[in-house]
């Protein structure tokens, strides 16, 4: 079993090689400039690599990019093997990254929270306190309210 640092270095190398090959080496129109490699993970035995990618575009372009990556898998794996110089070149698995969808969902939730806060702020303008301006006792008030029990 390889150490984690070696797996991390190999994952970084795979990410760079795949990204460069997609940008310059593969002429598949489905893999145009709208495919971005976001992350790569390698198993501890260095036999399998998972490559995460995002696609800028609609659902049809995402499906086309997935098909293009599957068809270019052999070329990309041989390029990784040539660059890595390891005994066994890891098999590549391409997975669409869920990060953009998750970020979009979080942004929508934050927008809803901002709108809710704005409604509360609008309702609070012009409102008065139920028990007067300041219903809490202050330390200065406590000093003046001595019952005569204090010993000097």
């Amino acid at each position: 079993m390889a150490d984690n640092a070696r797996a991390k270095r190999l994952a970084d190398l795979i990410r760079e090689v795949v990204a460069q090959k997609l940008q310059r080496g593969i002429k598949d129109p489905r893999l145009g400039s709208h495919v971005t490699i976001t992350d790569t993970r390698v198993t501890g035995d260095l036999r399998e690599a998972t490559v995460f990618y995002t696609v800028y575009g609609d659902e049809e372009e995402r499906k086309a990019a997935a098909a293009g990556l599957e068809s270019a898998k052999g070329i990309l794996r041989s390029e990784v093997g040539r660059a890595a110089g390891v005994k066994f070149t890891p098999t590549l698995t391409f997975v669409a990254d869920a990060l953009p969808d998750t970020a979009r969902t979080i942004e929508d939730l934050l927008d809803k929270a901002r709108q809710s806060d704005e409604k509360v702020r609008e309702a609070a303008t012009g409102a008065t306190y139920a028990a007067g301006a300041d219903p809490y006792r202050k330390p200065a008030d406590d000093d003046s309210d001595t019952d005569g029990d204090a010993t000097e």
Side-chain angles (χ1 to χ4, degrees):
M1 186 92 111
D3 61 349
N4 288 337
R6 185 171 180 204
K8 176 76 171 125
R9 283 193 312 267
L10 182 60
D12 290 343
L13 178 72
I14 290 171
R15 184 180 65 239
E16 290 175 18
V17 168
V18 169
Q20 287 176 357
K21 192 68 176 171
L22 286 176
Q23 186 178 13
R24 294 190 186 102
I26 296 180
K27 303 295 186 221
D28 192 342
R30 299 174 292 186
L31 300 174
S33 61
H34 54 276
V35 175
T36 304
I37 304 300
T38 56
D39 193 18
T40 307
R41 296 192 183 139
V42 178
T43 58
D45 61 357
L46 306 179
R47 296 280 181 156
E48 298 175 15
T50 304
V51 181
F52 295 93
Y53 68 94
T54 59
V55 178
Y56 182 74
D58 59 0
E59 189 63 34
E60 187 174 313
E61 289 177 345
R62 288 183 189 130
K63 288 179 182 177
L69 286 170
E70 283 299 315
S71 69
K73 187 184 289 190
I75 296 169
L76 294 171
R77 184 174 181 216
S78 64
E79 195 66 29
V80 166
R82 189 175 300 124
V86 292
K87 184 176 182 179
F88 180 81
T89 303
T91 58
L92 300 178
T93 305
F94 292 96
V95 176
D97 199 354
L99 185 68
D101 296 331
T102 305
R104 199 171 306 117
T105 302
I106 291 172
E107 283 297 321
D108 291 343
L109 291 172
L110 288 173
D111 286 340
K112 287 180 183 177
R114 283 186 202 106
Q115 291 172 359
S116 175
D117 287 348
E118 187 60 34
K119 288 179 184 177
V120 168
R121 217 174 285 117
E122 288 174 6
T125 55
T128 59
Y129 293 104
D134 191 6
Y136 301 105
R137 291 177 24 178
K138 296 187 175 29
D141 294 341
D142 290 340
D143 292 340
S144 63
D145 289 342
T146 57
D147 295 328
D149 295 339
T151 57
E152 296 180 34

